């Protein structure tokens, strides 16, 4: 049962524009959310996270928004750069557990 | 700073052969350790996690096992590989506390033929 869903398998954006990656979750016990970036044949790299007590967290070009009532979060990348081309995974955890529940990922392509 | 090492990077094994993948973490003590698998076209699935030496929790029933013989060493094993064991295996670690940020190794691409 997929508790974290990334419904867009791929996204193409022009360099300099905004990239918006979306993620939905079903488990109301999730209270911590993370985004990872992954290049081919490498392990995922932690990008940014947000606790359920916040609705926004910003780190440079990356901003994560959390809408708890809709069980939805999004990652905004502004401006997008060709080096941002990678697969982005959304993940969620509940305070009582050790597991990270991952979505299937969205492949972002930033074109020059 | 903390680093995580995972090897080998790629592995081709025949069906029925044994498996041993090793993961070590440097620069931290008493980490939580994890093994994930990413099958083709799918997300990351947690296989095992460990909160201390000799403590292993399994998330899904399967043909694999895990062991933690030392504080910063995590091993994934199988006695007899199946075709369905093919995939990309990732080791990860996290510190204790509420913020469960996990840091991943480079992964092992396992092909069972």
């Amino acid at each position: 049962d997929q508790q974290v869903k990334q419904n867009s398998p791929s996204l193409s954006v022009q360099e300099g524009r905004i990239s918006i990656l979306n993620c939905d979750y079903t488990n109301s016990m999730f209270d911590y959310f993370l985004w990872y970036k992954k290049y081919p044949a490498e392990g995922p790299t932690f990008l940014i996270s947000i606790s359920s007590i916040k609705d926004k967290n910003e780190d440079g070009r990356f901003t994560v928004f959390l809408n708890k009532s809709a069980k939805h979060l999004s990652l905004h990348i502004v401006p997008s750069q060709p080096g941002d081309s990678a697969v982005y995974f959304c993940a969620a955890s509940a305070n009582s557990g050790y597991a990270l529940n991952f979505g299937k990922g969205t492949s972002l392509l930033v074109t020059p | 700073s903390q680093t995580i090492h995972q090897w080998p990077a790629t592995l081709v094994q025949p069906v029925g052969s044994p498996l041993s993948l090793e993961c070590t973490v440097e620069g931290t003590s008493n980490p939580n350790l994890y093994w994930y698998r990413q099958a083709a076209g799918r997300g990351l699935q947690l296989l095992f996690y460990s909160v201390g030496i000799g403590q292993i929790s399994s998330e899904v029933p399967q043909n694999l096992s895990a062991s933690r013989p030392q504080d910063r060493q995590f091993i994934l094993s199988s006695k007899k590989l199946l075709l369905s064991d093919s995939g990309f295996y990732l080791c990860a670690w996290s510190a204790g506390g509420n913020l469960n940020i996990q840091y991943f190794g480079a992964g092992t691409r396992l092909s069972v033929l």
Side-chain angles (χ1 to χ4, degrees):
Chain A
D1 181 29
Q2 195 79 19
Q3 299 184 72
V4 177
K5 300 178 183 179
Q6 294 177 258
N7 293 319
S8 298
S10 63
L11 175 67
S12 183
V13 173
Q14 272 192 321
E15 182 178 7
R17 307 292 288 267
I18 182 171
S19 294
I20 300 177
L21 297 102
N22 293 303
C23 178
D24 297 293
Y25 61 96
T26 58
N27 190 339
S28 58
M29 297 300 292
F30 288 151
D31 58 4
Y32 192 61
F33 304 89
L34 309 91
W35 284 94
Y36 284 83
K37 177 180 179 180
K38 184 181 181 301
Y39 293 115
E42 293 184 9
T45 302
F46 170 70
L47 201 54
I48 192 169
S49 64
I50 187 167
S51 167
S52 60
I53 62 173
K54 295 185 175 181
D55 55 19
K56 177 183 175 181
N57 189 25
E58 190 172 356
D59 184 2
R61 296 186 297 114
F62 303 91
T63 303
V64 56
F65 296 92
L66 175 62
N67 182 334
K68 290 185 290 294
S69 60
K71 293 191 176 68
H72 177 84
L73 64 155
S74 61
L75 174 68
H76 292 210
I77 306 174
V78 184
S80 301
Q81 300 173 354
D84 296 329
S85 298
V87 177
Y88 289 79
F89 289 97
C90 171
S93 71
N95 190 41
S96 60
Y98 294 94
L100 279 183
N101 294 271
F102 282 86
K104 293 186 178 181
T106 296
S107 179
L108 173 65
L109 176 64
V110 180
T111 57
Chain B
S1 64
Q2 301 87 3
T3 56
I4 180 169
H5 303 280
Q6 190 181 337
W7 66 92
T10 59
L11 189 60
V12 180
Q13 292 284 102
V15 170
S17 63
L19 173 74
S20 180
L21 301 180
E22 190 164 342
C23 172
T24 59
V25 181
E26 296 178 357
T28 186
S29 296
N30 196 29
N32 298 326
L33 296 172
Y34 310 83
W35 278 110
Y36 286 86
R37 176 172 60 202
Q38 183 182 17
R42 305 188 69 176
L44 279 70
Q45 180 185 36
L46 179 65
L47 302 177
F48 302 95
Y49 69 89
S50 171
V51 300
I53 296 175
Q55 300 179 58
I56 308 295
S57 296
S58 174
E59 287 292 298
V60 293
Q62 59 201 299
N63 183 42
L64 303 168
S65 62
S67 61
R68 185 170 177 173
Q70 300 180 42
D71 180 45
R72 290 169 290 177
Q73 183 184 30
F74 206 22
I75 297 172
L76 183 69
S77 304
S78 173
K79 293 182 179 179
K80 289 185 178 181
L81 284 169
L82 306 172
L83 287 173
S84 57
D85 292 324
S86 294
F88 192 51
Y89 289 83
L90 289 154
C91 180
W93 75 273
S94 69
N98 293 334
L99 300 182
N100 192 12
I101 299 175
Q102 297 181 16
Y103 300 93
F104 287 81
T108 295
R109 172 70 61 190
L110 172 65
S111 298
V112 182
L113 306 176

